[in-house]
Amino acid sequence: MSLFVTKIVDEWGTSYSLTGAGYSVLVALIVALLLIACYLTGGKHKISTKQLVFSAAAMALGMITSFLKLFEAPMGGSVTLFSMLFICCIGYWYGLRVGIITSVAYGLLQLISDPYIISLPQMVTDYLLAFGALGLSGLFCNQKNGLIKGYLAGVLGRYFFAFLSGLIFFAAYAEGSGMSAPVYSLAYNGSYLGCEAVLTLVVLAIPAVSKSFAQVKRMAVE
């Protein structure tokens, strides 16, 4: 493991930072995932250049807005400027398989940009599974009000894995809060994810915004 990560011990415990080789592996994984997405959508539903461009643009917007934080929780997690919405759009446009694969790739990008690693299982849960769950928006890609339903599915999926991570890997933070570890994890992760979700749904309820996203989908799928 020392080839890919560097061990850090401080007053908060033991964590790991990525080395140059670690970053290289993550970049290779992102490329591999995107190639897999192309392969899985081959045949009659082969992914087009337009689909790649729109997906890449949504991921780029998701990354940019993830740095625009309206609120940052003290031990990780933040309310961003609608970053989850842009990632959920990919599944909403192109379905479950492409949505999940590109969301996992987005999780790897988040790991590259802002890593916090205490163990391999925690890294997988917090980055690959939690962010990858945003691709569940693809379950509603062809349904009425699919963007809202898909967004809620993606956020709830991320919330589940964030709760699981808090319960398993960060239960010690519940000490002194007066709450049990499960309740603390539900409350802590729900505070920032719920706040961003509510703000996003309020914005999506604006008719002009809703029409704009519907127009973007037509451009993305035609």
Side-chain angles (χ1 to χ4, degrees), residues 163-218:
F163 159 73
L164 199 63
S165 175
L167 179 62
I168 296 173
F169 306 110
F170 301 101
Y173 289 108
E175 296 179 4
S177 67
M179 294 182 281
S180 64
V183 173
Y184 181 81
S185 184
L186 284 171
Y188 182 87
N189 291 292
S191 64
Y192 64 89
L193 289 175
C195 184
E196 181 170 337
V198 169
L199 289 174
T200 302
L201 292 174
V202 168
V203 171
L204 286 177
I206 301 172
V209 175
S210 178
K211 290 179 182 178
S212 296
F213 273 94
Q215 179 62 31
V216 172
K217 181 175 182 179
R218 285 193 291 269

Short mmCIF file of all heavy atoms in Angstrom, two decimals, residues 163-218:
data_model
loop_
_atom_site.label_atom_id
_atom_site.label_comp_id
_atom_site.label_asym_id
_atom_site.label_seq_id
_atom_site.Cartn_x
_atom_site.Cartn_y
_atom_site.Cartn_z
N PHE A 163 -24.60 7.20 5.31
CA PHE A 163 -25.02 6.72 6.64
C PHE A 163 -24.26 5.47 7.02
O PHE A 163 -23.78 5.34 8.16
CB PHE A 163 -26.53 6.44 6.62
CG PHE A 163 -26.97 5.49 7.71
CD1 PHE A 163 -27.03 5.92 9.04
CD2 PHE A 163 -27.30 4.18 7.41
CE1 PHE A 163 -27.43 5.03 10.04
CE2 PHE A 163 -27.70 3.30 8.41
CZ PHE A 163 -27.76 3.73 9.73
N LEU A 164 -24.12 4.54 6.09
CA LEU A 164 -23.41 3.30 6.36
C LEU A 164 -21.96 3.57 6.72
O LEU A 164 -21.42 2.98 7.66
CB LEU A 164 -23.49 2.39 5.12
CG LEU A 164 -23.22 0.91 5.32
CD1 LEU A 164 -24.26 0.28 6.24
CD2 LEU A 164 -23.22 0.19 3.97
N SER A 165 -21.33 4.48 6.00
CA SER A 165 -19.94 4.83 6.30
C SER A 165 -19.82 5.45 7.69
O SER A 165 -18.92 5.11 8.46
CB SER A 165 -19.42 5.80 5.25
OG SER A 165 -18.11 6.24 5.58
N GLY A 166 -20.74 6.36 8.01
CA GLY A 166 -20.71 6.99 9.33
C GLY A 166 -20.91 5.99 10.44
O GLY A 166 -20.27 6.08 11.50
N LEU A 167 -21.79 5.03 10.22
CA LEU A 167 -22.09 4.03 11.24
C LEU A 167 -20.92 3.08 11.46
O LEU A 167 -20.58 2.72 12.60
CB LEU A 167 -23.33 3.24 10.82
CG LEU A 167 -23.79 2.12 11.76
CD1 LEU A 167 -24.16 2.68 13.12
CD2 LEU A 167 -24.96 1.36 11.14
N ILE A 168 -20.27 2.68 10.36
CA ILE A 168 -19.21 1.67 10.45
C ILE A 168 -17.85 2.28 10.77
O ILE A 168 -17.11 1.79 11.63
CB ILE A 168 -19.13 0.87 9.14
CG1 ILE A 168 -20.43 0.09 8.91
CG2 ILE A 168 -17.94 -0.10 9.16
CD1 ILE A 168 -20.50 -0.59 7.56
N PHE A 169 -17.50 3.37 10.09
CA PHE A 169 -16.13 3.88 10.16
C PHE A 169 -15.95 5.10 11.05
O PHE A 169 -14.82 5.40 11.47
CB PHE A 169 -15.63 4.22 8.75
CG PHE A 169 -15.76 3.08 7.78
CD1 PHE A 169 -16.68 3.13 6.74
CD2 PHE A 169 -14.97 1.95 7.91
CE1 PHE A 169 -16.80 2.09 5.84
CE2 PHE A 169 -15.08 0.90 7.02
CZ PHE A 169 -16.01 0.96 5.98
N PHE A 170 -17.04 5.84 11.33
CA PHE A 170 -16.90 7.08 12.10
C PHE A 170 -17.82 7.11 13.31
O PHE A 170 -18.21 8.18 13.77
CB PHE A 170 -17.19 8.28 11.18
CG PHE A 170 -16.27 8.36 9.99
CD1 PHE A 170 -16.71 7.94 8.74
CD2 PHE A 170 -14.98 8.84 10.10
CE1 PHE A 170 -15.88 8.01 7.63
CE2 PHE A 170 -14.14 8.92 9.01
CZ PHE A 170 -14.58 8.49 7.76
N ALA A 171 -18.16 5.94 13.83
CA ALA A 171 -19.07 5.86 14.97
C ALA A 171 -18.52 6.57 16.20
O ALA A 171 -19.29 7.06 17.04
CB ALA A 171 -19.38 4.40 15.30
N ALA A 172 -17.19 6.65 16.31
CA ALA A 172 -16.58 7.28 17.49
C ALA A 172 -16.97 8.75 17.62
O ALA A 172 -16.99 9.30 18.73
CB ALA A 172 -15.06 7.15 17.42
N TYR A 173 -17.31 9.41 16.50
CA TYR A 173 -17.67 10.82 16.56
C TYR A 173 -19.00 11.04 17.27
O TYR A 173 -19.33 12.17 17.64
CB TYR A 173 -17.75 11.41 15.14
CG TYR A 173 -16.39 11.57 14.49
CD1 TYR A 173 -16.00 10.74 13.44
CD2 TYR A 173 -15.51 12.55 14.91
CE1 TYR A 173 -14.76 10.88 12.84
CE2 TYR A 173 -14.26 12.70 14.32
CZ TYR A 173 -13.89 11.86 13.29
OH TYR A 173 -12.67 12.00 12.70
N ALA A 174 -19.80 9.97 17.44
CA ALA A 174 -21.08 10.11 18.13
C ALA A 174 -20.91 10.27 19.63
O ALA A 174 -21.84 10.73 20.32
CB ALA A 174 -21.95 8.88 17.84
N GLU A 175 -19.74 9.91 20.15
CA GLU A 175 -19.50 10.02 21.59
C GLU A 175 -19.58 11.48 22.03
O GLU A 175 -18.98 12.36 21.43
CB GLU A 175 -18.13 9.44 21.94
CG GLU A 175 -18.01 7.94 21.66
CD GLU A 175 -16.63 7.41 22.00
OE1 GLU A 175 -15.81 8.19 22.53
OE2 GLU A 175 -16.37 6.22 21.72
N GLY A 176 -20.33 11.70 23.07
CA GLY A 176 -20.48 13.06 23.59
C GLY A 176 -21.58 13.86 22.93
O GLY A 176 -21.88 14.98 23.35
N SER A 177 -22.21 13.29 21.90
CA SER A 177 -23.29 14.00 21.21
C SER A 177 -24.65 13.75 21.84
O SER A 177 -25.62 14.45 21.52
CB SER A 177 -23.33 13.59 19.73
OG SER A 177 -23.71 12.22 19.61
N GLY A 178 -24.72 12.72 22.70
CA GLY A 178 -26.00 12.35 23.29
C GLY A 178 -26.85 11.49 22.38
O GLY A 178 -28.02 11.21 22.71
N MET A 179 -26.29 11.08 21.25
CA MET A 179 -27.02 10.24 20.30
C MET A 179 -26.28 8.92 20.09
O MET A 179 -25.05 8.87 20.22
CB MET A 179 -27.18 10.96 18.96
CG MET A 179 -28.06 12.18 19.00
SD MET A 179 -28.25 12.96 17.36
CE MET A 179 -26.68 13.84 17.24
N SER A 180 -27.03 7.89 19.74
CA SER A 180 -26.40 6.63 19.37
C SER A 180 -25.73 6.80 18.01
O SER A 180 -26.03 7.75 17.26
CB SER A 180 -27.44 5.51 19.30
OG SER A 180 -28.38 5.77 18.27
N ALA A 181 -24.83 5.88 17.66
CA ALA A 181 -24.10 5.99 16.40
C ALA A 181 -25.02 6.01 15.18
O ALA A 181 -24.84 6.83 14.28
CB ALA A 181 -23.07 4.86 16.29
N PRO A 182 -26.05 5.13 15.13
CA PRO A 182 -26.95 5.17 13.95
C PRO A 182 -27.70 6.50 13.84
O PRO A 182 -27.81 7.06 12.75
CB PRO A 182 -27.92 4.00 14.20
CG PRO A 182 -27.18 3.08 15.10
CD PRO A 182 -26.36 3.96 15.98
N VAL A 183 -28.22 7.00 14.96
CA VAL A 183 -28.96 8.26 14.92
C VAL A 183 -28.04 9.42 14.55
O VAL A 183 -28.39 10.31 13.76
CB VAL A 183 -29.64 8.53 16.28
CG1 VAL A 183 -30.26 9.92 16.31
CG2 VAL A 183 -30.68 7.46 16.58
N TYR A 184 -26.83 9.41 15.09
CA TYR A 184 -25.86 10.47 14.79
C TYR A 184 -25.52 10.47 13.30
O TYR A 184 -25.48 11.54 12.67
CB TYR A 184 -24.60 10.28 15.62
CG TYR A 184 -23.56 11.36 15.40
CD1 TYR A 184 -23.66 12.59 16.04
CD2 TYR A 184 -22.48 11.14 14.54
CE1 TYR A 184 -22.71 13.58 15.83
CE2 TYR A 184 -21.53 12.12 14.32
CZ TYR A 184 -21.66 13.35 14.97
OH TYR A 184 -20.73 14.33 14.75
N SER A 185 -25.28 9.29 12.75
CA SER A 185 -24.94 9.21 11.33
C SER A 185 -26.10 9.66 10.45
O SER A 185 -25.91 10.36 9.46
CB SER A 185 -24.52 7.77 10.97
OG SER A 185 -24.09 7.70 9.62
N LEU A 186 -27.32 9.25 10.82
CA LEU A 186 -28.50 9.69 10.07
C LEU A 186 -28.63 11.21 10.11
O LEU A 186 -28.87 11.86 9.08
CB LEU A 186 -29.76 9.04 10.64
CG LEU A 186 -30.02 7.57 10.29
CD1 LEU A 186 -31.19 7.03 11.10
CD2 LEU A 186 -30.29 7.41 8.79
N ALA A 187 -28.47 11.78 11.30
CA ALA A 187 -28.65 13.23 11.46
C ALA A 187 -27.52 14.01 10.79
O ALA A 187 -27.78 15.01 10.09
CB ALA A 187 -28.71 13.58 12.95
N TYR A 188 -26.29 13.55 10.98
CA TYR A 188 -25.14 14.29 10.45
C TYR A 188 -25.18 14.30 8.92
O TYR A 188 -25.10 15.37 8.30
CB TYR A 188 -23.84 13.66 10.94
CG TYR A 188 -22.61 14.39 10.45
CD1 TYR A 188 -22.09 15.46 11.17
CD2 TYR A 188 -21.97 14.02 9.27
CE1 TYR A 188 -20.98 16.15 10.71
CE2 TYR A 188 -20.85 14.69 8.81
CZ TYR A 188 -20.36 15.76 9.53
OH TYR A 188 -19.26 16.45 9.08
N ASN A 189 -25.31 13.13 8.32
CA ASN A 189 -25.30 13.07 6.85
C ASN A 189 -26.57 13.64 6.25
O ASN A 189 -26.55 14.22 5.16
CB ASN A 189 -25.10 11.62 6.40
CG ASN A 189 -23.70 11.11 6.71
OD1 ASN A 189 -22.72 11.56 6.13
ND2 ASN A 189 -23.60 10.17 7.63
N GLY A 190 -27.67 13.49 6.98
CA GLY A 190 -28.92 14.07 6.49
C GLY A 190 -28.92 15.58 6.51
O GLY A 190 -29.61 16.22 5.71
N SER A 191 -28.13 16.19 7.39
CA SER A 191 -28.12 17.65 7.51
C SER A 191 -27.64 18.32 6.22
O SER A 191 -28.29 19.24 5.72
CB SER A 191 -27.25 18.08 8.70
OG SER A 191 -25.88 17.72 8.49
N TYR A 192 -26.53 17.84 5.67
CA TYR A 192 -26.01 18.51 4.47
C TYR A 192 -26.63 17.97 3.18
O TYR A 192 -26.93 18.74 2.26
CB TYR A 192 -24.47 18.45 4.42
CG TYR A 192 -23.86 17.08 4.30
CD1 TYR A 192 -23.63 16.51 3.07
CD2 TYR A 192 -23.50 16.34 5.44
CE1 TYR A 192 -23.06 15.24 2.95
CE2 TYR A 192 -22.93 15.10 5.34
CZ TYR A 192 -22.71 14.54 4.10
OH TYR A 192 -22.15 13.29 3.98
N LEU A 193 -26.87 16.65 3.12
CA LEU A 193 -27.49 16.10 1.92
C LEU A 193 -28.94 16.56 1.80
O LEU A 193 -29.40 16.90 0.71
CB LEU A 193 -27.42 14.58 1.95
CG LEU A 193 -26.03 13.96 1.75
CD1 LEU A 193 -26.08 12.45 1.93
CD2 LEU A 193 -25.46 14.32 0.38
N GLY A 194 -29.65 16.57 2.93
CA GLY A 194 -31.04 17.01 2.90
C GLY A 194 -31.18 18.47 2.54
O GLY A 194 -32.07 18.86 1.78
N CYS A 195 -30.29 19.29 3.07
CA CYS A 195 -30.33 20.72 2.78
C CYS A 195 -30.11 20.98 1.30
O CYS A 195 -30.86 21.74 0.67
CB CYS A 195 -29.29 21.45 3.62
SG CYS A 195 -29.33 23.25 3.44
N GLU A 196 -29.10 20.34 0.72
CA GLU A 196 -28.85 20.55 -0.72
C GLU A 196 -30.01 20.01 -1.55
O GLU A 196 -30.39 20.62 -2.56
CB GLU A 196 -27.55 19.86 -1.14
CG GLU A 196 -27.24 20.06 -2.62
CD GLU A 196 -25.84 19.61 -3.01
OE1 GLU A 196 -24.96 19.55 -2.13
OE2 GLU A 196 -25.64 19.33 -4.20
N ALA A 197 -30.57 18.87 -1.16
CA ALA A 197 -31.68 18.29 -1.90
C ALA A 197 -32.89 19.23 -1.90
O ALA A 197 -33.53 19.44 -2.94
CB ALA A 197 -32.06 16.94 -1.31
N VAL A 198 -33.22 19.79 -0.75
CA VAL A 198 -34.36 20.70 -0.65
C VAL A 198 -34.14 21.93 -1.52
O VAL A 198 -35.03 22.37 -2.27
CB VAL A 198 -34.61 21.09 0.82
CG1 VAL A 198 -35.63 22.24 0.90
CG2 VAL A 198 -35.12 19.90 1.61
N LEU A 199 -32.96 22.52 -1.43
CA LEU A 199 -32.64 23.70 -2.24
C LEU A 199 -32.76 23.39 -3.74
O LEU A 199 -33.30 24.18 -4.52
CB LEU A 199 -31.23 24.20 -1.93
CG LEU A 199 -31.04 24.86 -0.56
CD1 LEU A 199 -29.57 25.16 -0.32
CD2 LEU A 199 -31.86 26.12 -0.44
N THR A 200 -32.26 22.20 -4.13
CA THR A 200 -32.30 21.81 -5.53
C THR A 200 -33.73 21.61 -6.00
O THR A 200 -34.11 22.06 -7.10
CB THR A 200 -31.50 20.52 -5.75
OG1 THR A 200 -30.15 20.73 -5.32
CG2 THR A 200 -31.51 20.12 -7.22
N LEU A 201 -34.55 20.94 -5.19
CA LEU A 201 -35.94 20.70 -5.57
C LEU A 201 -36.73 22.00 -5.68
O LEU A 201 -37.61 22.14 -6.54
CB LEU A 201 -36.60 19.76 -4.56
CG LEU A 201 -36.07 18.32 -4.58
CD1 LEU A 201 -36.68 17.51 -3.44
CD2 LEU A 201 -36.36 17.64 -5.92
N VAL A 202 -36.41 22.96 -4.82
CA VAL A 202 -37.06 24.27 -4.89
C VAL A 202 -36.73 24.94 -6.22
O VAL A 202 -37.61 25.50 -6.90
CB VAL A 202 -36.64 25.16 -3.71
CG1 VAL A 202 -37.08 26.61 -3.93
CG2 VAL A 202 -37.23 24.63 -2.41
N VAL A 203 -35.45 24.87 -6.61
CA VAL A 203 -35.04 25.48 -7.88
C VAL A 203 -35.68 24.76 -9.06
O VAL A 203 -36.16 25.39 -10.02
CB VAL A 203 -33.50 25.47 -8.00
CG1 VAL A 203 -33.07 25.88 -9.40
CG2 VAL A 203 -32.89 26.40 -6.96
N LEU A 204 -35.74 23.42 -9.00
CA LEU A 204 -36.35 22.65 -10.09
C LEU A 204 -37.85 22.91 -10.20
O LEU A 204 -38.44 22.68 -11.27
CB LEU A 204 -36.09 21.16 -9.88
CG LEU A 204 -34.67 20.67 -10.15
CD1 LEU A 204 -34.55 19.18 -9.82
CD2 LEU A 204 -34.27 20.91 -11.61
N ALA A 205 -38.48 23.35 -9.12
CA ALA A 205 -39.91 23.63 -9.15
C ALA A 205 -40.23 24.93 -9.89
O ALA A 205 -41.39 25.18 -10.23
CB ALA A 205 -40.46 23.71 -7.73
N ILE A 206 -39.21 25.75 -10.15
CA ILE A 206 -39.42 26.97 -10.92
C ILE A 206 -39.69 26.59 -12.38
O ILE A 206 -38.89 25.90 -13.00
CB ILE A 206 -38.19 27.89 -10.83
CG1 ILE A 206 -37.91 28.26 -9.37
CG2 ILE A 206 -38.38 29.14 -11.69
CD1 ILE A 206 -36.61 29.00 -9.17
N PRO A 207 -40.82 26.98 -12.95
CA PRO A 207 -41.19 26.54 -14.30
C PRO A 207 -40.10 26.79 -15.35
O PRO A 207 -39.85 25.92 -16.20
CB PRO A 207 -42.45 27.35 -14.59
CG PRO A 207 -43.05 27.60 -13.25
CD PRO A 207 -41.87 27.80 -12.32
N ALA A 208 -39.47 27.94 -15.29
CA ALA A 208 -38.44 28.25 -16.30
C ALA A 208 -37.26 27.29 -16.20
O ALA A 208 -36.70 26.86 -17.22
CB ALA A 208 -37.96 29.69 -16.12
N VAL A 209 -36.88 26.94 -14.97
CA VAL A 209 -35.78 26.00 -14.78
C VAL A 209 -36.17 24.62 -15.25
O VAL A 209 -35.40 23.93 -15.94
CB VAL A 209 -35.36 25.96 -13.29
CG1 VAL A 209 -34.30 24.88 -13.06
CG2 VAL A 209 -34.85 27.31 -12.84
N SER A 210 -37.37 24.19 -14.90
CA SER A 210 -37.85 22.88 -15.32
C SER A 210 -37.88 22.76 -16.84
O SER A 210 -37.46 21.74 -17.41
CB SER A 210 -39.24 22.64 -14.74
OG SER A 210 -39.75 21.39 -15.16
N LYS A 211 -38.36 23.79 -17.51
CA LYS A 211 -38.40 23.78 -18.98
C LYS A 211 -37.00 23.74 -19.57
O LYS A 211 -36.76 23.09 -20.59
CB LYS A 211 -39.17 25.00 -19.48
CG LYS A 211 -40.66 24.96 -19.20
CD LYS A 211 -41.35 26.21 -19.71
CE LYS A 211 -42.85 26.19 -19.39
NZ LYS A 211 -43.53 27.42 -19.85
N SER A 212 -36.08 24.44 -18.93
CA SER A 212 -34.71 24.47 -19.42
C SER A 212 -34.07 23.09 -19.35
O SER A 212 -33.41 22.66 -20.30
CB SER A 212 -33.88 25.47 -18.62
OG SER A 212 -34.36 26.79 -18.79
N PHE A 213 -34.26 22.38 -18.24
CA PHE A 213 -33.70 21.04 -18.12
C PHE A 213 -34.36 20.07 -19.09
O PHE A 213 -33.70 19.16 -19.60
CB PHE A 213 -33.83 20.54 -16.68
CG PHE A 213 -32.69 20.96 -15.79
CD1 PHE A 213 -32.77 22.11 -15.02
CD2 PHE A 213 -31.52 20.21 -15.75
CE1 PHE A 213 -31.71 22.51 -14.21
CE2 PHE A 213 -30.46 20.60 -14.94
CZ PHE A 213 -30.55 21.76 -14.17
N ALA A 214 -35.65 20.24 -19.34
CA ALA A 214 -36.33 19.40 -20.33
C ALA A 214 -35.76 19.64 -21.72
O ALA A 214 -35.56 18.70 -22.51
CB ALA A 214 -37.82 19.68 -20.32
N GLN A 215 -35.47 20.89 -22.04
CA GLN A 215 -34.85 21.23 -23.32
C GLN A 215 -33.45 20.64 -23.45
O GLN A 215 -33.06 20.12 -24.49
CB GLN A 215 -34.81 22.75 -23.50
CG GLN A 215 -34.17 23.22 -24.79
CD GLN A 215 -34.91 22.75 -26.03
OE1 GLN A 215 -36.12 22.58 -25.99
NE2 GLN A 215 -34.17 22.54 -27.12
N VAL A 216 -32.68 20.70 -22.35
CA VAL A 216 -31.34 20.13 -22.39
C VAL A 216 -31.40 18.62 -22.62
O VAL A 216 -30.60 18.07 -23.37
CB VAL A 216 -30.59 20.44 -21.07
CG1 VAL A 216 -29.27 19.68 -21.02
CG2 VAL A 216 -30.32 21.93 -20.96
N LYS A 217 -32.38 17.96 -22.01
CA LYS A 217 -32.50 16.52 -22.24
C LYS A 217 -32.82 16.22 -23.70
O LYS A 217 -32.26 15.29 -24.29
CB LYS A 217 -33.58 15.90 -21.35
CG LYS A 217 -33.68 14.40 -21.59
CD LYS A 217 -34.63 13.66 -20.68
CE LYS A 217 -34.57 12.17 -21.01
NZ LYS A 217 -35.47 11.36 -20.16
N ARG A 218 -33.70 17.00 -24.29
CA ARG A 218 -34.01 16.79 -25.71
C ARG A 218 -32.77 16.96 -26.56
O ARG A 218 -32.52 16.19 -27.50
CB ARG A 218 -35.11 17.77 -26.16
CG ARG A 218 -36.50 17.41 -25.66
CD ARG A 218 -37.57 18.20 -26.38
NE ARG A 218 -37.51 19.61 -26.02
CZ ARG A 218 -38.20 20.14 -25.00
NH1 ARG A 218 -38.97 19.37 -24.26
NH2 ARG A 218 -38.12 21.43 -24.73
#
